[in-house]
Amino acid sequence: DAKTTQPPSMDCAEGRAANLPCNHSTISGNEYVYWYRQIHSQGPQYIIHGLKNNETNEMASLIITEDRKSSTLILPHATLRDTAVYYCIALREAGTALIFGKGTTLSVSS
Amino acid sequence: EAGVTQSPTHLIKTRGQQATLRCSPISGHTSVYWYQQALGLGLQFLLWYDEGEERNRGNFPPRFSGRQFPNYSSELNVNALELEDSALYLCASSFLGAGWHTGELFFGEGSRLTVL
């Protein structure tokens, strides 16, 4: 599965949109982009995934560039409870288990 | 609907002992995954079981082993405990049927193992 690169940390003001980038320049055509987050001392939580189209659910939006080399997770109105480590993972649909990298620590402040 | 449940929540052992951790997946889920999260090392993939079979294994020594039972619950055994085995052990479950993606996992809250 392709390697992903994320900034180690980001800050966001409460109520603002949080845009978390992920680079996956070696992603192959059958690899999905998954996003998870882990709030301190809890198990990771699935957020969203996509292949090549933009996706939206009740938690977030996922924007994937046309060449699929990068993506952005958007939390439209960040709250203090969104403070967490966010992981971007590339995974083949029928491939191996999820392999987590270091992720991005998002700090939302008032 | 109950989520993934893990037991015990906390476990304290001494070096050289054995630890057994248990996981009950969400009803209907057939796959169980185990991850280790040691301080400062992030989430490390340990084991993946589906339909009672080991599907994949991470880069861990053989003293880390597990199994999946006919009811899809699972246990993780760690033999000959070492100090660096102290970590949060997370279990996740998923369903690999048509229409589901293998990357959508549901995690439990973990079992914290402390080795003294």
Side-chain angles (χ1 to χ4, degrees):
Chain A
D1 298 318
K3 178 178 163 55
T4 61
T5 304
Q6 300 177 252
S9 64
M10 293 183 66
D11 294 317
C12 181
E14 191 176 22
R16 298 282 194 165
N19 298 294
L20 292 96
C22 179
N23 182 286
H24 31 79
S25 58
T26 61
I27 198 168
S28 60
N30 63 350
E31 286 184 294
Y32 286 75
V33 178
Y34 280 83
W35 283 84
Y36 277 76
R37 73 180 183 183
Q38 187 176 24
I39 296 170
H40 183 62
S41 297
Q42 297 181 19
Q45 177 189 26
Y46 164 82
I47 300 173
I48 199 167
H49 74 278
L51 184 61
K52 47 186 174 182
N53 297 322
N54 297 337
E55 303 287 343
T56 295
N57 63 21
E58 64 279 4
M59 287 183 68
S61 294
L62 174 60
I63 309 297
I64 302 175
T65 58
E66 195 169 336
D67 62 8
R68 301 189 70 239
K69 292 182 185 299
S70 66
S71 61
T72 301
L73 179 76
I74 301 172
L75 308 178
H77 305 287
T79 71
L80 298 178
R81 288 178 295 180
D82 292 321
T83 292
V85 180
Y86 288 77
Y87 299 96
C88 168
I89 305 164
L91 181 73
R92 288 174 289 132
E93 182 174 4
T96 60
L98 283 174
I99 303 300
F100 290 81
K102 296 187 187 306
T104 296
T105 298
L106 175 68
S107 299
V108 181
S109 57
S110 56
Chain B
E1 182 182 310
V4 175
T5 57
Q6 294 187 242
S7 64
T9 307
H10 293 87
L11 186 61
I12 299 175
K13 293 284 187 177
T14 56
R15 202 167 51 180
Q17 286 188 312
Q18 178 197 40
T20 298
L21 308 176
R22 295 178 177 84
C23 173
S24 292
I26 290 172
S27 177
H29 285 190
T30 60
S31 269
V32 169
Y33 308 76
W34 288 95
Y35 287 83
Q36 181 197 65
Q37 189 167 34
L39 200 61
L41 290 182
L43 280 154
Q44 305 290 319
F45 167 65
L46 259 168
L47 289 160
W48 172 16
Y49 291 97
D50 182 63
E51 298 280 2
E53 301 286 329
E54 182 180 301
R55 289 294 187 97
N56 202 2
R57 181 183 180 88
N59 188 24
F60 280 83
R63 57 190 186 82
F64 287 83
S65 65
R67 54 180 170 165
Q68 186 178 32
F69 300 99
N71 66 353
Y72 304 115
S73 67
S74 175
E75 68 179 27
L76 174 70
N77 295 294
V78 188
N79 293 319
L81 285 166
E82 300 178 2
L83 296 178
E84 52 264 35
D85 296 333
S86 294
L88 181 68
Y89 289 84
L90 290 157
C91 173
S93 73
S94 73
F95 176 62
L96 296 185
W100 285 78
H101 295 276
T102 58
E104 190 169 349
L105 306 187
F106 296 81
F107 282 82
E109 294 302 312
S111 293
R112 185 163 294 283
L113 172 64
T114 301
V115 182
L116 303 176

